[in-house]
mmCIF file with all atom_site columns, all heavy atoms in Angstrom:
data_model
loop_
_atom_site.group_PDB
_atom_site.id
_atom_site.type_symbol
_atom_site.label_atom_id
_atom_site.label_alt_id
_atom_site.label_comp_id
_atom_site.label_asym_id
_atom_site.label_entity_id
_atom_site.label_seq_id
_atom_site.pdbx_PDB_ins_code
_atom_site.Cartn_x
_atom_site.Cartn_y
_atom_site.Cartn_z
_atom_site.occupancy
_atom_site.B_iso_or_equiv
_atom_site.pdbx_formal_charge
_atom_site.auth_seq_id
_atom_site.auth_comp_id
_atom_site.auth_asym_id
_atom_site.auth_atom_id
_atom_site.pdbx_PDB_model_num
ATOM 1   N N   . GLN A 1 172 ? -26.186 4.133   43.385 1.00 98.00 ? 1495 GLN A N   1
ATOM 2   C CA  . GLN A 1 172 ? -26.952 3.991   42.148 1.00 98.00 ? 1495 GLN A CA  1
ATOM 3   C C   . GLN A 1 172 ? -26.075 3.540   40.968 1.00 98.00 ? 1495 GLN A C   1
ATOM 4   O O   . GLN A 1 172 ? -26.503 2.722   40.153 1.00 98.00 ? 1495 GLN A O   1
ATOM 5   C CB  . GLN A 1 172 ? -27.641 5.316   41.810 1.00 98.00 ? 1495 GLN A CB  1
ATOM 6   C CG  . GLN A 1 172 ? -28.725 5.708   42.818 1.00 98.00 ? 1495 GLN A CG  1
ATOM 7   C CD  . GLN A 1 172 ? -29.451 6.983   42.417 1.00 98.00 ? 1495 GLN A CD  1
ATOM 8   O OE1 . GLN A 1 172 ? -29.156 7.593   41.387 1.00 98.00 ? 1495 GLN A OE1 1
ATOM 9   N NE2 . GLN A 1 172 ? -30.371 7.414   43.256 1.00 98.00 ? 1495 GLN A NE2 1
ATOM 10  N N   . THR A 1 173 ? -24.852 4.046   40.911 1.00 98.00 ? 1496 THR A N   1
ATOM 11  C CA  . THR A 1 173 ? -23.975 3.685   39.793 1.00 98.00 ? 1496 THR A CA  1
ATOM 12  C C   . THR A 1 173 ? -23.581 2.216   39.860 1.00 98.00 ? 1496 THR A C   1
ATOM 13  O O   . THR A 1 173 ? -23.571 1.519   38.838 1.00 98.00 ? 1496 THR A O   1
ATOM 14  C CB  . THR A 1 173 ? -22.712 4.570   39.811 1.00 98.00 ? 1496 THR A CB  1
ATOM 15  O OG1 . THR A 1 173 ? -23.103 5.941   39.740 1.00 98.00 ? 1496 THR A OG1 1
ATOM 16  C CG2 . THR A 1 173 ? -21.819 4.251   38.631 1.00 98.00 ? 1496 THR A CG2 1
ATOM 17  N N   . TYR A 1 174 ? -23.263 1.725   41.053 1.00 98.00 ? 1497 TYR A N   1
ATOM 18  C CA  . TYR A 1 174 ? -22.919 0.309   41.168 1.00 98.00 ? 1497 TYR A CA  1
ATOM 19  C C   . TYR A 1 174 ? -24.124 -0.581  40.906 1.00 98.00 ? 1497 TYR A C   1
ATOM 20  O O   . TYR A 1 174 ? -24.005 -1.675  40.331 1.00 98.00 ? 1497 TYR A O   1
ATOM 21  C CB  . TYR A 1 174 ? -22.324 0.021   42.547 1.00 98.00 ? 1497 TYR A CB  1
ATOM 22  C CG  . TYR A 1 174 ? -20.840 0.303   42.629 1.00 98.00 ? 1497 TYR A CG  1
ATOM 23  C CD1 . TYR A 1 174 ? -20.331 1.240   43.511 1.00 98.00 ? 1497 TYR A CD1 1
ATOM 24  C CD2 . TYR A 1 174 ? -19.936 -0.370  41.793 1.00 98.00 ? 1497 TYR A CD2 1
ATOM 25  C CE1 . TYR A 1 174 ? -18.975 1.501   43.572 1.00 98.00 ? 1497 TYR A CE1 1
ATOM 26  C CE2 . TYR A 1 174 ? -18.585 -0.104  41.841 1.00 98.00 ? 1497 TYR A CE2 1
ATOM 27  C CZ  . TYR A 1 174 ? -18.098 0.833   42.743 1.00 98.00 ? 1497 TYR A CZ  1
ATOM 28  O OH  . TYR A 1 174 ? -16.741 1.092   42.788 1.00 98.00 ? 1497 TYR A OH  1
ATOM 29  N N   . GLU A 1 175 ? -25.314 -0.124  41.312 1.00 98.00 ? 1498 GLU A N   1
ATOM 30  C CA  . GLU A 1 175 ? -26.524 -0.895  40.998 1.00 98.00 ? 1498 GLU A CA  1
ATOM 31  C C   . GLU A 1 175 ? -26.740 -0.944  39.473 1.00 98.00 ? 1498 GLU A C   1
ATOM 32  O O   . GLU A 1 175 ? -27.087 -2.000  38.928 1.00 98.00 ? 1498 GLU A O   1
ATOM 33  C CB  . GLU A 1 175 ? -27.736 -0.246  41.676 1.00 98.00 ? 1498 GLU A CB  1
ATOM 34  C CG  . GLU A 1 175 ? -27.755 -0.422  43.187 1.00 98.00 ? 1498 GLU A CG  1
ATOM 35  C CD  . GLU A 1 175 ? -28.855 0.386   43.849 1.00 98.00 ? 1498 GLU A CD  1
ATOM 36  O OE1 . GLU A 1 175 ? -29.638 1.039   43.111 1.00 98.00 ? 1498 GLU A OE1 1
ATOM 37  O OE2 . GLU A 1 175 ? -28.956 0.387   45.081 1.00 98.00 ? 1498 GLU A OE2 1
ATOM 38  N N   . ASN A 1 176 ? -26.526 0.170   38.814 1.00 97.00 ? 1499 ASN A N   1
ATOM 39  C CA  . ASN A 1 176 ? -26.680 0.199   37.346 1.00 97.00 ? 1499 ASN A CA  1
ATOM 40  C C   . ASN A 1 176 ? -25.626 -0.672  36.660 1.00 97.00 ? 1499 ASN A C   1
ATOM 41  O O   . ASN A 1 176 ? -25.919 -1.339  35.664 1.00 97.00 ? 1499 ASN A O   1
ATOM 42  C CB  . ASN A 1 176 ? -26.577 1.635   36.839 1.00 97.00 ? 1499 ASN A CB  1
ATOM 43  C CG  . ASN A 1 176 ? -27.745 2.491   37.283 1.00 97.00 ? 1499 ASN A CG  1
ATOM 44  O OD1 . ASN A 1 176 ? -28.819 1.983   37.612 1.00 97.00 ? 1499 ASN A OD1 1
ATOM 45  N ND2 . ASN A 1 176 ? -27.551 3.813   37.321 1.00 97.00 ? 1499 ASN A ND2 1
ATOM 46  N N   . ALA A 1 177 ? -24.406 -0.652  37.195 1.00 97.00 ? 1500 ALA A N   1
ATOM 47  C CA  . ALA A 1 177 ? -23.356 -1.486  36.604 1.00 97.00 ? 1500 ALA A CA  1
ATOM 48  C C   . ALA A 1 177 ? -23.694 -2.962  36.766 1.00 97.00 ? 1500 ALA A C   1
ATOM 49  O O   . ALA A 1 177 ? -23.473 -3.763  35.847 1.00 97.00 ? 1500 ALA A O   1
ATOM 50  C CB  . ALA A 1 177 ? -22.023 -1.166  37.256 1.00 97.00 ? 1500 ALA A CB  1
ATOM 51  N N   . SER A 1 178 ? -24.225 -3.321  37.917 1.00 97.00 ? 1501 SER A N   1
ATOM 52  C CA  . SER A 1 178 ? -24.621 -4.710  38.144 1.00 97.00 ? 1501 SER A CA  1
ATOM 53  C C   . SER A 1 178 ? -25.720 -5.132  37.165 1.00 97.00 ? 1501 SER A C   1
ATOM 54  O O   . SER A 1 178 ? -25.682 -6.232  36.619 1.00 97.00 ? 1501 SER A O   1
ATOM 55  C CB  . SER A 1 178 ? -25.114 -4.888  39.595 1.00 97.00 ? 1501 SER A CB  1
ATOM 56  O OG  . SER A 1 178 ? -25.568 -6.202  39.811 1.00 97.00 ? 1501 SER A OG  1
ATOM 57  N N   . ALA A 1 179 ? -26.674 -4.232  36.941 1.00 96.00 ? 1502 ALA A N   1
ATOM 58  C CA  . ALA A 1 179 ? -27.755 -4.521  35.989 1.00 96.00 ? 1502 ALA A CA  1
ATOM 59  C C   . ALA A 1 179 ? -27.201 -4.676  34.577 1.00 96.00 ? 1502 ALA A C   1
ATOM 60  O O   . ALA A 1 179 ? -27.630 -5.555  33.802 1.00 96.00 ? 1502 ALA A O   1
ATOM 61  C CB  . ALA A 1 179 ? -28.798 -3.435  36.043 1.00 96.00 ? 1502 ALA A CB  1
ATOM 62  N N   . GLU A 1 180 ? -26.233 -3.823  34.219 1.00 96.00 ? 1503 GLU A N   1
ATOM 63  C CA  . GLU A 1 180 ? -25.640 -3.876  32.888 1.00 96.00 ? 1503 GLU A CA  1
ATOM 64  C C   . GLU A 1 180 ? -24.885 -5.196  32.686 1.00 96.00 ? 1503 GLU A C   1
ATOM 65  O O   . GLU A 1 180 ? -24.933 -5.807  31.624 1.00 96.00 ? 1503 GLU A O   1
ATOM 66  C CB  . GLU A 1 180 ? -24.683 -2.702  32.699 1.00 96.00 ? 1503 GLU A CB  1
ATOM 67  C CG  . GLU A 1 180 ? -24.399 -2.338  31.265 1.00 96.00 ? 1503 GLU A CG  1
ATOM 68  C CD  . GLU A 1 180 ? -25.539 -1.591  30.607 1.00 96.00 ? 1503 GLU A CD  1
ATOM 69  O OE1 . GLU A 1 180 ? -26.375 -1.000  31.305 1.00 96.00 ? 1503 GLU A OE1 1
ATOM 70  O OE2 . GLU A 1 180 ? -25.588 -1.578  29.358 1.00 96.00 ? 1503 GLU A OE2 1
ATOM 71  N N   . LEU A 1 181 ? -24.193 -5.631  33.733 1.00 95.00 ? 1504 LEU A N   1
ATOM 72  C CA  . LEU A 1 181 ? -23.443 -6.884  33.658 1.00 95.00 ? 1504 LEU A CA  1
ATOM 73  C C   . LEU A 1 181 ? -24.354 -8.103  33.592 1.00 95.00 ? 1504 LEU A C   1
ATOM 74  O O   . LEU A 1 181 ? -23.898 -9.203  33.277 1.00 95.00 ? 1504 LEU A O   1
ATOM 75  C CB  . LEU A 1 181 ? -22.507 -7.010  34.858 1.00 95.00 ? 1504 LEU A CB  1
ATOM 76  C CG  . LEU A 1 181 ? -21.306 -6.058  34.886 1.00 95.00 ? 1504 LEU A CG  1
ATOM 77  C CD1 . LEU A 1 181 ? -20.617 -6.085  36.245 1.00 95.00 ? 1504 LEU A CD1 1
ATOM 78  C CD2 . LEU A 1 181 ? -20.314 -6.412  33.787 1.00 95.00 ? 1504 LEU A CD2 1
ATOM 79  N N   . SER A 1 182 ? -25.628 -7.902  33.893 1.00 94.00 ? 1505 SER A N   1
ATOM 80  C CA  . SER A 1 182 ? -26.602 -9.000  33.865 1.00 94.00 ? 1505 SER A CA  1
ATOM 81  C C   . SER A 1 182 ? -27.306 -9.130  32.521 1.00 94.00 ? 1505 SER A C   1
ATOM 82  O O   . SER A 1 182 ? -28.098 -10.062 32.327 1.00 94.00 ? 1505 SER A O   1
ATOM 83  C CB  . SER A 1 182 ? -27.648 -8.811  34.967 1.00 94.00 ? 1505 SER A CB  1
ATOM 84  O OG  . SER A 1 182 ? -27.028 -8.754  36.254 1.00 94.00 ? 1505 SER A OG  1
ATOM 85  N N   . LEU A 1 183 ? -27.043 -8.209  31.600 1.00 94.00 ? 1506 LEU A N   1
ATOM 86  C CA  . LEU A 1 183 ? -27.680 -8.262  30.291 1.00 94.00 ? 1506 LEU A CA  1
ATOM 87  C C   . LEU A 1 183 ? -27.221 -9.494  29.510 1.00 94.00 ? 1506 LEU A C   1
ATOM 88  O O   . LEU A 1 183 ? -26.053 -9.895  29.587 1.00 94.00 ? 1506 LEU A O   1
ATOM 89  C CB  . LEU A 1 183 ? -27.355 -6.995  29.502 1.00 94.00 ? 1506 LEU A CB  1
ATOM 90  C CG  . LEU A 1 183 ? -27.916 -5.680  30.052 1.00 94.00 ? 1506 LEU A CG  1
ATOM 91  C CD1 . LEU A 1 183 ? -27.409 -4.502  29.215 1.00 94.00 ? 1506 LEU A CD1 1
ATOM 92  C CD2 . LEU A 1 183 ? -29.445 -5.711  30.043 1.00 94.00 ? 1506 LEU A CD2 1
ATOM 93  N N   . PRO A 1 184 ? -28.127 -10.089 28.733 1.00 93.00 ? 1507 PRO A N   1
ATOM 94  C CA  . PRO A 1 184 ? -27.756 -11.292 27.963 1.00 93.00 ? 1507 PRO A CA  1
ATOM 95  C C   . PRO A 1 184 ? -26.562 -11.070 27.046 1.00 93.00 ? 1507 PRO A C   1
ATOM 96  O O   . PRO A 1 184 ? -25.728 -11.965 26.881 1.00 93.00 ? 1507 PRO A O   1
ATOM 97  C CB  . PRO A 1 184 ? -29.029 -11.571 27.161 1.00 93.00 ? 1507 PRO A CB  1
ATOM 98  C CG  . PRO A 1 184 ? -30.142 -11.001 27.989 1.00 93.00 ? 1507 PRO A CG  1
ATOM 99  C CD  . PRO A 1 184 ? -29.549 -9.765  28.610 1.00 93.00 ? 1507 PRO A CD  1
ATOM 100 N N   . SER A 1 185 ? -26.471 -9.891  26.432 1.00 88.00 ? 1508 SER A N   1
ATOM 101 C CA  . SER A 1 185 ? -25.363 -9.623  25.512 1.00 88.00 ? 1508 SER A CA  1
ATOM 102 C C   . SER A 1 185 ? -24.019 -9.598  26.238 1.00 88.00 ? 1508 SER A C   1
ATOM 103 O O   . SER A 1 185 ? -22.991 -9.957  25.663 1.00 88.00 ? 1508 SER A O   1
ATOM 104 C CB  . SER A 1 185 ? -25.587 -8.283  24.788 1.00 88.00 ? 1508 SER A CB  1
ATOM 105 O OG  . SER A 1 185 ? -25.696 -7.225  25.714 1.00 88.00 ? 1508 SER A OG  1
ATOM 106 N N   . VAL A 1 186 ? -24.029 -9.165  27.497 1.00 92.00 ? 1509 VAL A N   1
ATOM 107 C CA  . VAL A 1 186 ? -22.789 -9.152  28.288 1.00 92.00 ? 1509 VAL A CA  1
ATOM 108 C C   . VAL A 1 186 ? -22.464 -10.574 28.758 1.00 92.00 ? 1509 VAL A C   1
ATOM 109 O O   . VAL A 1 186 ? -21.309 -11.014 28.666 1.00 92.00 ? 1509 VAL A O   1
ATOM 110 C CB  . VAL A 1 186 ? -22.924 -8.209  29.495 1.00 92.00 ? 1509 VAL A CB  1
ATOM 111 C CG1 . VAL A 1 186 ? -21.693 -8.303  30.385 1.00 92.00 ? 1509 VAL A CG1 1
ATOM 112 C CG2 . VAL A 1 186 ? -23.113 -6.761  29.015 1.00 92.00 ? 1509 VAL A CG2 1
ATOM 113 N N   . ILE A 1 187 ? -23.462 -11.267 29.229 1.00 91.00 ? 1510 ILE A N   1
ATOM 114 C CA  . ILE A 1 187 ? -23.249 -12.639 29.709 1.00 91.00 ? 1510 ILE A CA  1
ATOM 115 C C   . ILE A 1 187 ? -22.709 -13.524 28.583 1.00 91.00 ? 1510 ILE A C   1
ATOM 116 O O   . ILE A 1 187 ? -21.861 -14.397 28.805 1.00 91.00 ? 1510 ILE A O   1
ATOM 117 C CB  . ILE A 1 187 ? -24.566 -13.216 30.266 1.00 91.00 ? 1510 ILE A CB  1
ATOM 118 C CG1 . ILE A 1 187 ? -24.971 -12.445 31.539 1.00 91.00 ? 1510 ILE A CG1 1
ATOM 119 C CG2 . ILE A 1 187 ? -24.439 -14.700 30.563 1.00 91.00 ? 1510 ILE A CG2 1
ATOM 120 C CD1 . ILE A 1 187 ? -26.316 -12.849 32.093 1.00 91.00 ? 1510 ILE A CD1 1
ATOM 121 N N   . ALA A 1 188 ? -23.184 -13.277 27.360 1.00 89.00 ? 1511 ALA A N   1
ATOM 122 C CA  . ALA A 1 188 ? -22.763 -14.089 26.229 1.00 89.00 ? 1511 ALA A CA  1
ATOM 123 C C   . ALA A 1 188 ? -21.294 -13.868 25.871 1.00 89.00 ? 1511 ALA A C   1
ATOM 124 O O   . ALA A 1 188 ? -20.657 -14.760 25.293 1.00 89.00 ? 1511 ALA A O   1
ATOM 125 C CB  . ALA A 1 188 ? -23.646 -13.780 25.013 1.00 89.00 ? 1511 ALA A CB  1
ATOM 126 N N   . ASN A 1 189 ? -20.756 -12.707 26.205 1.00 86.00 ? 1512 ASN A N   1
ATOM 127 C CA  . ASN A 1 189 ? -19.392 -12.366 25.800 1.00 86.00 ? 1512 ASN A CA  1
ATOM 128 C C   . ASN A 1 189 ? -18.383 -12.319 26.938 1.00 86.00 ? 1512 ASN A C   1
ATOM 129 O O   . ASN A 1 189 ? -17.179 -12.226 26.699 1.00 86.00 ? 1512 ASN A O   1
ATOM 130 C CB  . ASN A 1 189 ? -19.388 -11.005 25.083 1.00 86.00 ? 1512 ASN A CB  1
ATOM 131 C CG  . ASN A 1 189 ? -20.112 -11.050 23.758 1.00 86.00 ? 1512 ASN A CG  1
ATOM 132 O OD1 . ASN A 1 189 ? -19.790 -11.844 22.885 1.00 86.00 ? 1512 ASN A OD1 1
ATOM 133 N ND2 . ASN A 1 189 ? -21.117 -10.191 23.606 1.00 86.00 ? 1512 ASN A ND2 1
ATOM 134 N N   . LEU A 1 190 ? -18.866 -12.373 28.167 1.00 90.00 ? 1513 LEU A N   1
ATOM 135 C CA  . LEU A 1 190 ? -17.964 -12.296 29.324 1.00 90.00 ? 1513 LEU A CA  1
ATOM 136 C C   . LEU A 1 190 ? -17.834 -13.684 29.922 1.00 90.00 ? 1513 LEU A C   1
ATOM 137 O O   . LEU A 1 190 ? -18.819 -14.309 30.307 1.00 90.00 ? 1513 LEU A O   1
ATOM 138 C CB  . LEU A 1 190 ? -18.534 -11.319 30.355 1.00 90.00 ? 1513 LEU A CB  1
ATOM 139 C CG  . LEU A 1 190 ? -17.644 -10.945 31.533 1.00 90.00 ? 1513 LEU A CG  1
ATOM 140 C CD1 . LEU A 1 190 ? -16.395 -10.210 31.052 1.00 90.00 ? 1513 LEU A CD1 1
ATOM 141 C CD2 . LEU A 1 190 ? -18.409 -10.068 32.529 1.00 90.00 ? 1513 LEU A CD2 1
ATOM 142 N N   . PRO A 1 191 ? -16.600 -14.217 30.014 1.00 89.00 ? 1514 PRO A N   1
ATOM 143 C CA  . PRO A 1 191 ? -16.426 -15.561 30.583 1.00 89.00 ? 1514 PRO A CA  1
ATOM 144 C C   . PRO A 1 191 ? -17.051 -15.708 31.954 1.00 89.00 ? 1514 PRO A C   1
ATOM 145 O O   . PRO A 1 191 ? -17.105 -14.765 32.742 1.00 89.00 ? 1514 PRO A O   1
ATOM 146 C CB  . PRO A 1 191 ? -14.897 -15.689 30.648 1.00 89.00 ? 1514 PRO A CB  1
ATOM 147 C CG  . PRO A 1 191 ? -14.399 -14.811 29.552 1.00 89.00 ? 1514 PRO A CG  1
ATOM 148 C CD  . PRO A 1 191 ? -15.343 -13.638 29.546 1.00 89.00 ? 1514 PRO A CD  1
ATOM 149 N N   . ALA A 1 192 ? -17.518 -16.916 32.241 1.00 86.00 ? 1515 ALA A N   1
ATOM 150 C CA  . ALA A 1 192 ? -18.262 -17.167 33.479 1.00 86.00 ? 1515 ALA A CA  1
ATOM 151 C C   . ALA A 1 192 ? -17.470 -16.827 34.729 1.00 86.00 ? 1515 ALA A C   1
ATOM 152 O O   . ALA A 1 192 ? -18.054 -16.401 35.740 1.00 86.00 ? 1515 ALA A O   1
ATOM 153 C CB  . ALA A 1 192 ? -18.677 -18.645 33.510 1.00 86.00 ? 1515 ALA A CB  1
#
Side-chain angles (χ1 to χ4, degrees):
Q1495 293 184 1
T1496 303
Y1497 276 119
E1498 289 172 3
N1499 292 338
S1501 177
E1503 201 77 20
L1504 290 169
S1505 301
L1506 294 175
S1508 59
V1509 174
I1510 294 175
N1512 293 304
L1513 189 63

